[in-house]
Amino acid sequence: MSNLFYSGSGRHTSGAFTVTMKDGAKLAKQIAKLENGGKVAIQRTVSDFNSRAPAWVSKGIRQHYGVDTAAIKSAGPQKKRGATHINVAGVSVDGATLEYKGRTLTPTHFKMSPKSRPTKRRRAPILIPGQMLNSSPEVGTVRPPAPYQITAQIIKGQRARLPDNTFMGAGKVPAIPFQRTGSGRGPLEAVHTLSVPQMINGRAKETIETMISEGLEKRFTHHVQQAMK
């Protein structure tokens, strides 16, 4: 199986990174002159960080991965969800830290195709023992489902093929892909791929850090300037 996919239950993952503002030292000198105004500027920057950073993270991830925004949002600051959430570990004049925790996702969040089990059947019928059919005691024919290939866009702009023995589960759309991990018809294991923290710490890391660093610095500079008036 490609290293993008694995069979089994979802795995809990976490990751953190620190963002440093390029002109933090210069802004710190300005804050030193503001007294109480400096404290207000920092508090407002923290508020901006809490409200704006998840959007910066989401945008940075989607520049590199084909994941849907709903999956990223589910790893955001929604305490009631329990399974995945974001904690703002801290923000200061010269830096900010984000910590993400979440489970590995199924390919359904990555523009998976097809979205449900195809109904198309093979053209040529095959013979089966007659006892499986009410109409014939000896032999019968059936047209089994036609083979199909499941793909997903994990890396943006690239479609990755799931293993040939992967099949779509029945029920809701999009259906979760499964793989038989035993020698017979079971056991069945759901196929999973990357988590939000893994994407943050992977290809998207530098992009996200730059977006947050530049965005946070702009907001911080704005609040300092407002306090100096």
Side-chain angles (χ1 to χ4, degrees), residues 142-158:
V142 297
R143 293 175 59 198
Y148 56 91
Q149 179 67 57
I150 306 172
T151 64
Q153 189 179 156
I154 310 301
I155 308 301
K156 188 172 182 179
Q158 302 177 21

Side-chain angles (χ1 to χ4, degrees), residues 9 21 32 37 41 69-70 105 107 120 127 140 153 155-156 181 186 199 205 208 214 218:
S9 57
M21 292 183 285
T69 55
L105 302 169
K120 185 178 179 180
L127 299 177
Q153 189 179 156
I155 308 301
K156 188 172 182 179
T181 57
M199 288 182 271
K205 184 177 179 65
I208 293 171
E214 293 178 352
K218 287 179 181 179

Side-chain angles (χ1 to χ4, degrees), residues 13 37 100 108 111 118 127 162-163 169 175 182 184-185 196 203-204 207 218 227:
T13 59
Y100 272 77
T108 58
K111 299 180 175 66
L127 299 177
L162 276 69
R185 296 185 60 82
V196 171
R203 291 171 176 252
T207 301
K218 287 179 181 179

Side-chain angles (χ1 to χ4, degrees), residues 79-173:
K79 297 180 180 179
K80 292 183 179 180
R81 297 187 69 87
T84 53
H85 62 279
I86 172 177
N87 291 322
V88 178
V91 62
S92 63
V93 175
D94 61 352
T97 302
L98 279 178
E99 182 183 5
Y100 272 77
K101 295 181 179 180
R103 294 172 66 89
T104 47
L105 302 169
T106 62
T108 58
H109 297 285
F110 295 85
K111 299 180 175 66
M112 185 182 70
S113 178
K115 294 184 180 297
S116 60
R117 184 185 300 175
T119 58
K120 185 178 179 180
R121 294 187 173 275
R122 297 175 189 265
R123 291 184 177 181
I126 62 173
L127 299 177
I128 62 171
Q131 60 266 26
M132 298 182 64
L133 299 174
N134 294 328
S135 59
S136 174
E138 297 180 357
V139 69
T141 61
V142 297
R143 293 175 59 198
Y148 56 91
Q149 179 67 57
I150 306 172
T151 64
Q153 189 179 156
I154 310 301
I155 308 301
K156 188 172 182 179
Q158 302 177 21
R159 295 208 69 84
R161 295 179 54 171
L162 276 69
D164 293 336
N165 60 346
T166 305
F167 63 95
M168 308 295 296
K172 64 180 182 179
V173 178

